[in-house]
């Protein structure tokens, strides 16, 4: 089992979906990643920052999942990062109604001393400069660095982002972002171009249409589990990344087969995330539920075929 | 091995994609279905109609695939059905530029006497009245009827279409059409509603995002093979249906496992169809190529997972 360092936002979200709306609730990339990874019981630390307005109960919630929260800096006089969004009727697209960086604007991440030798580093969606700073603090010779990012950083800090991409082993990115980053429509061609930028493994997330894993000329595909109802997609991509990273921290199997299984665990955990608002479904999720859904995943995808 | 009756258009298509354009070339639902099904060497007859302008070489092409073309009526003084379309840059959507029904307007299908006892009936996309007429001519007590249809018939002849749906065992339909037919966004819920309309098996096609097979509470998913380049999507859905029907004609295995394999063969054959204009790729397709791609399909989707 490896130690896992997660850097990303710990935040307030306010969400509107066709099914309802919330006031400020617990959100943030590192929150979803940490909750998903906690299913694997690897030693996990979150590196992040919140304001004095952040409720102790939210920090307790993470700590009670055995997540090390000592590197979540609390800026007493500051306010926590806040995002407000509204999903369209198909839940596949959304409008950002408000973004307040607050304490995130001046965030200087510090990896806890006893986590600097962690073998797994999960760089959640954040300013590439923060991701680079975290990477520079890590000391393990053989480590696996996983990057999640989004179009905002391609639009605004592309050069810095490319510097990060050159240093990571795995990138998770959605289909539109892969196309934007490479200028290629075909995801097969886009993945090859991203591979040339640095990462050995490229995971392209397609939301309700599943995820593709690329490695050299190998491709693996995992569908999203078909659900009766998607209630709130917020955090699904982060939960996928957290399941992916947590599985690898647990197994330390960085082969293609290991990555395939990590994708499946990521997809499975993400299928729970979208069933309720925010982190609600992930908070009480049991390993029995996860195992049951993995069985569903197998029957959804596995077959025996005879050539005719 | 069962006999297979295919009803659908045999037509001229003129196609524009971002990669080029064609004059009138061989097209039509029954053409693509027949070519795909011919991979399985089941006794197959096409029931359709063409005009005096339809080249003998196109008929020969089908006959040379061992497809019985005696029920492709040639109306000497008439003109063949013609469709002209232009695909958008993403190849996922298209505009119809011209549709000329011609001889299709008065088509009265006649199933050949020695095919009336066929166990597999593939109702390709056509007017529901024509589909009903074909069904009424079939005599086998235990047969499997597969329906393909599209939004045009939902918009214009919904009651008749529902009459057909009530009589079929399998329906193949795309995701937007499933939503239109049921008023449900969730494909899981939509499939349940379509099941209540008649079909035991519901195949929802999602184009480049694969296909879902529903049967009672069971679900199976087959992705589309990720391709470097999709050249022309015309006929991909029909090729899927033809591969599906041809596999079932060959194996006569109508269980859920059999249907899963039929979906995989359909997906695999459709992945060839889109590589060239119209029927070009399907004309010379060998079983060796199909088997190689089935192996790719397996490595794309199959995994061994340990619960952790």
């Amino acid at each position: 089992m490896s130690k896992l360092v997660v850097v990303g936002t710990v935040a307030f979200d306010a969400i509107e979906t066709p099914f309802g709306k919330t006031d400020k609730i617990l959100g943030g990339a590192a929150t979803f990643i940490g909750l998903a990874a906690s299913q694997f019981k690897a030693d996990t630390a979150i590196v992040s920052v919140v304001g004095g307005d952040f409720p102790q109960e939210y920090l307790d919630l993470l700590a009670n999942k055995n997540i090390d929260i000592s590197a979540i800096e609390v800026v007493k006089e500051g306010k926590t990062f806040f995002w407000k969004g509204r999903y369209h009727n198909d839940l596949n697209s959304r409008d950002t109604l408000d973004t307040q960086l607050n304490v995130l604007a001046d965030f200087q991440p510090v990896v806890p001393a006893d986590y600097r030798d962690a073998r797994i580093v999960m760089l959640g969606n954040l300013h590439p400069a923060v991701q680079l700073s975290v990477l520079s603090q890590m000391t393990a010779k053989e480590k696996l660095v996983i990057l999640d990012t989004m179009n905002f950083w391609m639009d605004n800090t592309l050069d810095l982002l490319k510097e990060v991409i050159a240093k990571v082993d795995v990138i998770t990115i959605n289909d539109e972002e892969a196309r934007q980053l490479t200028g290629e429509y075909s995801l097969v061609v886009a993945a090859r171009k991203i591979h040339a930028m640095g990462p050995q493994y490229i995971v392209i997330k397609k939301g309700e249409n599943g995820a593709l894993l690329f490695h050299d000329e190998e491709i693996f595909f995992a569908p999203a589990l078909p659900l009766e109802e998607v209630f709130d997609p917020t955090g699904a991509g982060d939960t996928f990344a957290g399941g992916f990273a947590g599985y690898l921290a647990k197994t330390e199997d960085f082969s293609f087969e290991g990555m395939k299984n990590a994708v499946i665990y990521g997809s499975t955990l993400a299928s729970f995330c979208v069933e309720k608002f925010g982190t609600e479904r992930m908070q009480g999720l049991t390993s029995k539920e996860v195992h049951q859904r993995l069985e569903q995943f197998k029957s959804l995808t596995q077959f025996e075929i005879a050539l005719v």
Side-chain angles (χ1 to χ4, degrees), chain A residues 16-93:
Chain A
E16 291 181 32
T17 78
F19 311 111
K21 57 190 288 186
T22 69
D23 288 328
K24 284 184 178 180
I25 60 172
L26 174 61
T31 304
F32 284 103
I33 293 168
L35 286 173
S38 73
Q39 285 291 326
F40 303 94
K41 298 179 177 55
D43 289 334
T44 302
I46 289 179
V47 180
S48 193
V49 62
V50 295
D53 57 347
F54 198 72
Q56 185 61 38
E57 65 170 292
Y58 286 170
L59 292 171
D60 292 346
L61 188 157
L62 295 172
N64 288 337
K65 295 283 180 185
N66 286 317
I67 297 167
D68 187 319
I69 59 167
S70 62
I72 303 182
E73 185 190 347
V74 182
V75 180
K76 286 233 162 58
E77 66 282 13
K79 289 179 71 181
T80 301
F81 173 62
F82 172 61
W83 175 79
K84 182 175 184 174
R86 181 190 293 137
Y87 288 88
H88 302 159
N89 276 336
D90 65 3
L91 291 175
N92 279 326
S93 53

Side-chain angles (χ1 to χ4, degrees), chain A residues 117-119 138-144:
Chain A
D117 63 349
R119 284 192 66 201
M138 304 306 298
T139 59
K141 276 207 177 121
E142 293 197 12
K143 61 180 177 292
L144 186 87

Side-chain angles (χ1 to χ4, degrees), chain A residues 163-181:
Chain A
E163 221 178 293
V164 183
I165 291 174
K167 292 175 190 284
V168 308
D169 304 287
V170 184
I171 184 172
T172 73
I173 190 171
N174 78 29
D175 45 359
E176 285 316 308
E177 291 157 355
R179 287 171 175 141
Q180 178 176 346
L181 184 61

Side-chain angles (χ1 to χ4, degrees), chain A residues 150-211:
Chain A
M150 70 182 294
N151 52 357
F152 181 83
W153 310 112
M154 297 174 199
D155 294 335
N156 295 290
T157 61
L158 183 59
D159 288 343
L160 261 186
L161 177 60
K162 284 189 174 170
E163 221 178 293
V164 183
I165 291 174
K167 292 175 190 284
V168 308
D169 304 287
V170 184
I171 184 172
T172 73
I173 190 171
N174 78 29
D175 45 359
E176 285 316 308
E177 291 157 355
R179 287 171 175 141
Q180 178 176 346
L181 184 61
T182 61
E184 295 288 344
Y185 186 79
S186 160
L187 297 178
V188 176
V189 180
R192 195 175 296 139
K193 282 198 171 180
I194 297 171
H195 178 59
M197 295 178 186
Q200 292 294 308
Y201 293 94
I202 296 99
V203 179
I204 299 185
K205 300 174 288 184
K206 304 201 293 174
E208 66 166 349
N209 292 312

Side-chain angles (χ1 to χ4, degrees), chain A residues 61-297:
Chain A
L61 188 157
L62 295 172
N64 288 337
K65 295 283 180 185
N66 286 317
I67 297 167
D68 187 319
I69 59 167
S70 62
I72 303 182
E73 185 190 347
V74 182
V75 180
K76 286 233 162 58
E77 66 282 13
K79 289 179 71 181
T80 301
F81 173 62
F82 172 61
W83 175 79
K84 182 175 184 174
R86 181 190 293 137
Y87 288 88
H88 302 159
N89 276 336
D90 65 3
L91 291 175
N92 279 326
S93 53
R94 66 186 187 190
D95 296 322
T96 289
L97 303 178
D98 195 4
T99 306
Q100 298 172 17
L101 277 185
N102 296 331
V103 292
L104 212 58
D106 304 308
F107 178 40
Q108 305 286 340
V110 180
V111 179
D114 54 341
Y115 272 91
R116 295 195 175 183
D117 63 349
R119 284 192 66 201
I120 315 263
V121 187
M122 175 73 231
L123 303 174
N125 178 35
L126 250 186
H127 197 298
V130 173
Q131 296 176 324
L132 282 174
S133 167
V134 166
L135 267 191
S136 72
Q137 298 172 52
M138 304 306 298
T139 59
K141 276 207 177 121
E142 293 197 12
K143 61 180 177 292
L144 186 87
V145 183
I146 307 160
L147 169 66
D148 190 43
T149 188
M150 70 182 294
N151 52 357
F152 181 83
W153 310 112
M154 297 174 199
D155 294 335
N156 295 290
T157 61
L158 183 59
D159 288 343
L160 261 186
L161 177 60
K162 284 189 174 170
E163 221 178 293
V164 183
I165 291 174
K167 292 175 190 284
V168 308
D169 304 287
V170 184
I171 184 172
T172 73
I173 190 171
N174 78 29
D175 45 359
E176 285 316 308
E177 291 157 355
R179 287 171 175 141
Q180 178 176 346
L181 184 61
T182 61
E184 295 288 344
Y185 186 79
S186 160
L187 297 178
V188 176
V189 180
R192 195 175 296 139
K193 282 198 171 180
I194 297 171
H195 178 59
M197 295 178 186
Q200 292 294 308
Y201 293 94
I202 296 99
V203 179
I204 299 185
K205 300 174 288 184
K206 304 201 293 174
E208 66 166 349
N209 292 312
L212 285 157
L213 167 68
F214 295 88
H215 174 59
D216 295 332
E217 291 305 308
E218 291 182 288
I219 314 180
F220 178 68
F221 176 80
L225 277 168
L227 297 172
E228 298 252 340
E229 190 173 87
V230 172
F231 190 79
D232 171 21
T234 308
D238 299 313
T239 300
F240 176 92
F244 183 88
Y247 178 85
L248 294 175
K250 171 85 174 185
T251 62
E252 298 187 285
D253 176 1
F254 305 161
S255 69
F256 188 67
E257 288 301 312
M259 295 283 167
K260 281 165 61 171
N261 287 350
V263 166
I264 290 160
Y265 265 95
S267 294
T268 301
L269 289 173
S271 77
F272 289 105
C273 177
V274 301
E275 291 183 337
K276 293 193 177 175
F277 265 131
T279 61
E280 195 180 340
R281 185 68 177 94
M282 302 308 289
Q283 288 179 28
L285 186 63
T286 66
S287 62
K288 189 177 168 198
E289 289 175 306
V290 175
H291 289 176
Q292 281 171 343
R293 199 157 284 187
L294 280 169
E295 292 300 327
Q296 279 181 264
F297 201 95

